Amino acid sequence: MESHTTVTANASSSSATVPSDCPDDLPPLVVEDAPMSAPDPTAAASRRALDLVAGERLPALPRAFLDGREHDLLAPLHFLAPGELPTTPAPAVDRVALAAALERANASYGHPRADELAARLAHPSTRVVVTGQQPGLFGGPLMGLTKTIAALRQARAFEARGERAVVVFWVATEDHDWAEVAQTTLLGTDGSEALSLGDDLAPLLPVGMRTFGDGLDELADRAADLLAGGRAGDRLTAARRWYRPDTRFGEAFSRFMIDLLGEQAPLYLDSMLPEVKRLQAPWMRRLVEERAALDDALARQHEAVEARGHALQVQPQPGVSPLFLLHAEDDEAAPARRRIEWRGDDRFGLRGLDGFERPVAELLEILDDNPSAVSPGVLARPAIQDALLGTSLQVLGPAELSYMAQASAVHRQLGLDGTWSSLRPQTVVLDARSAGYLDELEVTLGDLLTTPHDELIARRLGADPVAVARSEIDRMMCRLRQPVLDVDGSLESPWRKTRDSIRRSLDTLSKKTTAAIARRHEVWLRRLEQLQHLVVPGGSLQERRLSTLVFDARHGDALVAALLDQLDLDPRRLRAVILDD
């Protein structure tokens, strides 16, 4: 390695007067060989990762599961630790009719492998890996794509073990959370911007029954302005093929994601598909028929979770069914998805609908004649899903995994076993330039989440290096004085002139350095702001807020390839995926 070497000048006596700004107790001028430190090869990698457990960025129950604790709260479900695969056989389920329905639906979405994947799904020994979410605007937030990639990677792990596997993405079209699906956040040159379809005019209407409406064209035009440049034109044209004012949410989302993923796309299951509803009906009937036992089972499960000191993700509702009924008050009213409430032993009502009360036998008739009118809520949906699909592994987000400790009571009531639950990985997508900014600024992903910009810049820039060094240079000149005078006592004046000249030069250099620091401060502040907009827009992690369309428009096919190659499946840490510019 390189080193710097200087000489040692030993002080000796002199009759010259010591300047008042030169202390008389200075040590001799000695600078020893000092090897240059080698760069840390792991520094860049550590800046691009975030320990989610140590930083307490995961809810308590997922942290406990990852730590090997509280697994009994999931029983009869199993928790899959990072790096492992399920050890129990695939649940035995007849999926032939479902596979045929999904083949037709996915072929209509343009899936290039609909027939192949459907045939695999129909095979009784196939491992089914499930993930899903609501069908968001322009592909929804990025986490929907990263969930999909994680599920695909898990399916590949099954196949590497010699087992058939297929991924099914559950498109939650029965939900009526308008706020979640009707807005998206895009990233332009000046930061992030939220786009919204406006207020919810039918608050209890499932999103799968809605079209986007005329306001979509205005949002698409704004998206084109924000994402202009590079590959954006082609990808926006593709997105506008699927997202049209007269298109429904579930169809647009499925077409968009299949177009993005191509050959890698899983099967997309719209939860409102009539065949899906027909196949669900026997299981929902059991939840009605066994309502008292189910209510008791949920109450016991809630008590067990709270007894361990954990907060309930879903608030208990004694005497309330985990099912909803789609009901219109009259022929002209829009149907509303309302929670079913039990009234005594044999009657039911609907939440928010005063005066409505019917015999439970009528609800059972609806399930037989029109199963599309009944849908599972958050605690019943996982069990209905697993009963239908024979799920081997479900890939869940932190909040979803938290409420599985409650939903497991429904699995137990229905006698369902064999499903494993894993925590999805989290990531942040960076282009090479943004990754370079992290290195240049010497900041981490954690810094961007927790530390103000000015503090980060001050830490990186430090003080004016000339000002810091000046006092030491003055001391060095003072130490040099005596050796010079020992050579010739008449050199006092040249020594002083040299020292003063150095001081003036340092003053000039300090002014230029300070100006450069100010310029760099402005440049680095802009780069920090760009990183902040990309990594933690609005204070949320990127994948929870930024639309998939942002990354599709910037990176095209390279996005999916990079995620498949680089996504870290360990949910205990968030690690960046880097794409070339």
Side-chain angles (χ1 to χ4, degrees):
M1 295 187 209
E2 295 181 5
S3 62
H4 302 284
T5 306
T6 64
V7 297
T8 300
N10 294 315
S12 60
S13 61
S14 170
S15 59
T17 302
V18 178
S20 60
D21 55 357
C22 281
D24 57 10
D25 59 349
L26 287 173
L29 179 62
V30 179
V31 181
E32 299 178 346
D33 288 354
M36 298 288 287
S37 60
D40 181 359
T42 64
S46 65
R47 280 192 283 271
R48 300 170 188 181
L50 180 64
D51 189 327
L52 297 170
V53 175
E56 297 188 351
R57 296 190 177 279
L58 292 174
L61 269 171
R63 291 203 310 270
F65 297 150
L66 288 167
D67 196 35
R69 298 179 290 110
E70 316 287 36
H71 288 187
D72 59 308
L73 292 177
L74 288 174
L77 305 176
H78 315 279
F79 179 72
L80 189 70
E84 297 183 2
L85 279 177
T87 56
T88 57
V93 173
D94 181 355
R95 296 185 290 255
V96 174
L98 176 63
L102 293 189
E103 179 182 359
R104 290 190 296 272
N106 280 264
S108 73
Y109 302 149
H111 199 308
R113 299 171 62 208
D115 55 348
E116 175 192 343
L117 296 183
R120 191 180 303 176
L121 177 65
H123 198 284
S125 67
T126 295
R127 294 281 194 176
V128 179
V129 183
V130 180
T131 193
Q133 69 177 44
Q134 288 199 69
L137 183 62
F138 298 139
L142 181 64
M143 67 179 179
L145 178 60
T146 56
K147 271 184 175 180
T148 305
I149 297 297
L152 291 169
R153 292 273 300 276
Q154 294 284 17
R156 287 183 177 182
F158 277 123
E159 291 168 349
R161 198 169 71 174
E163 300 181 86
R164 292 183 183 87
V166 66
V167 177
V168 175
F169 191 102
W170 187 281
V171 186
T173 51
E174 290 183 303
D175 291 357
H176 52 259
D177 189 348
W178 174 259
E180 183 172 330
V181 301
Q183 65 84 33
T184 193
T185 299
L186 302 182
L187 189 64
T189 55
D190 296 325
S192 60
E193 182 175 327
L195 306 182
S196 174
L197 290 169
D199 295 335
D200 188 357
L201 301 180
L204 297 179
L205 184 66
V207 299
M209 299 179 69
R210 298 171 182 247
T211 59
F212 295 102
D214 295 336
L216 180 66
D217 283 337
E218 182 181 346
L219 296 191
D221 290 341
R222 182 56 182 155
D225 293 338
L226 290 169
L227 302 176
R231 304 173 179 85
D234 292 341
R235 300 311 301 163
L236 282 166
T237 298
R240 294 187 83 151
R241 290 176 60 195
W242 317 130
Y243 284 90
R244 301 190 306 270
D246 59 346
T247 305
R248 293 191 175 185
F249 279 79
E251 179 186 355
F253 176 84
S254 299
R255 287 179 177 273
F256 176 89
M257 297 303 292
I258 288 171
D259 183 63
L260 171 61
L261 288 157
E263 295 282 334
Q264 306 294 339
L267 288 172
Y268 283 84
L269 185 157
D270 185 327
S271 62
M272 295 191 73
L273 195 67
E275 184 65 17
V276 169
K277 300 304 300 180
R278 186 186 70 77
L279 293 169
Q280 286 180 352
W283 298 99
M284 292 192 290
R285 169 179 272 273
R286 282 190 58 186
L287 294 182
V288 174
E289 294 173 335
E290 301 172 21
R291 56 192 177 277
L294 177 59
D295 205 36
D296 290 343
L298 285 168
R300 289 194 300 271
Q301 190 67 17
H302 293 154
E303 290 175 3
V305 172
E306 290 186 309
R308 304 286 181 88
H310 298 292
L312 296 176
Q313 187 76 13
V314 181
Q315 288 304 307
Q317 301 183 69
V320 175
S321 173
L323 302 177
F324 289 77
L325 178 64
L326 192 63
H327 174 78
E329 293 189 59
D330 54 56
D331 293 340
E332 297 183 0
R337 182 175 181 255
R338 296 183 182 275
R339 175 79 69 174
I340 296 170
E341 300 177 332
W342 305 124
R343 306 284 170 80
D345 293 335
D346 61 356
R347 299 183 72 79
F348 76 99
L350 296 178
R351 176 171 294 170
L353 197 58
D354 294 337
F356 180 94
E357 190 171 304
R358 301 285 191 276
V360 170
E362 184 175 314
L363 178 60
L364 294 174
E365 290 176 4
I366 293 172
L367 272 169
D368 292 338
D369 299 337
N370 183 23
S372 294
V374 184
S375 59
V378 66
L379 294 184
R381 183 200 52 76
I384 298 296
Q385 162 200 286
D386 296 342
L388 198 64
L389 289 167
T391 308
S392 281
L393 175 63
Q394 53 184 342
V395 179
L396 302 170
E400 294 168 322
L401 185 57
S402 294
Y403 69 64
M404 288 308 298
Q406 298 170 249
S408 60
V410 185
H411 284 79
R412 192 179 308 115
Q413 183 65 34
L414 294 178
L416 300 173
D417 194 2
T419 299
W420 292 69
S421 297
S422 68
L423 181 61
R424 73 171 178 88
Q426 299 185 57
T427 193
V428 56
V429 174
L430 299 177
D431 55 76
R433 182 179 61 178
S434 297
Y437 289 167
L438 285 177
D439 298 337
E440 177 186 1
L441 299 170
E442 296 182 1
V443 298
T444 68
L445 296 178
D447 289 334
L448 293 175
L449 282 164
T450 60
T451 310
H453 289 173
D454 287 346
E455 183 177 334
L456 290 174
I457 292 175
R459 187 179 75 190
R460 179 66 179 89
L461 289 172
D464 173 8
V466 179
V468 172
R470 176 170 176 161
S471 62
E472 183 59 29
I473 292 172
D474 272 350
R475 290 168 66 86
M476 291 177 68
M477 287 301 297
C478 287
R479 288 196 292 268
L480 181 61
R481 174 179 173 277
Q482 190 60 52
V484 168
L485 296 183
D486 286 347
V487 172
D488 186 339
S490 66
L491 294 177
E492 174 78 21
S493 179
W495 172 84
R496 290 180 181 273
K497 289 180 180 179
T498 301
R499 183 196 61 181
D500 293 343
S501 176
I502 290 174
R503 285 178 171 176
R504 288 192 298 272
S505 296
L506 288 173
D507 286 341
T508 300
L509 180 59
S510 180
K511 291 177 182 178
K512 293 181 178 181
T513 303
T514 301
I517 288 174
R519 291 193 300 273
R520 177 166 287 187
H521 182 283
E522 293 176 0
V523 171
W524 284 3
L525 181 60
R526 286 197 301 272
R527 291 179 179 176
L528 268 176
E529 288 174 343
Q530 290 171 358
L531 283 172
Q532 193 89 39
H533 292 316
L534 177 62
V535 176
V536 282
S540 298
L541 285 173
Q542 176 196 88
E543 64 178 3
R544 293 180 173 273
R545 185 175 293 266
L546 288 185
S547 170
T548 301
L549 182 59
V550 171
F551 305 93
D552 182 22
R554 289 186 175 189
H555 305 291
D557 294 341
L559 171 64
V560 172
L563 285 169
L564 282 167
D565 181 55
Q566 299 180 41
L567 182 65
D568 187 345
L569 293 184
D570 191 336
R572 293 169 295 194
R573 58 180 178 249
L574 180 152
R575 193 178 300 279
V577 168
I578 312 297
L579 292 101
D580 293 333
D581 291 326

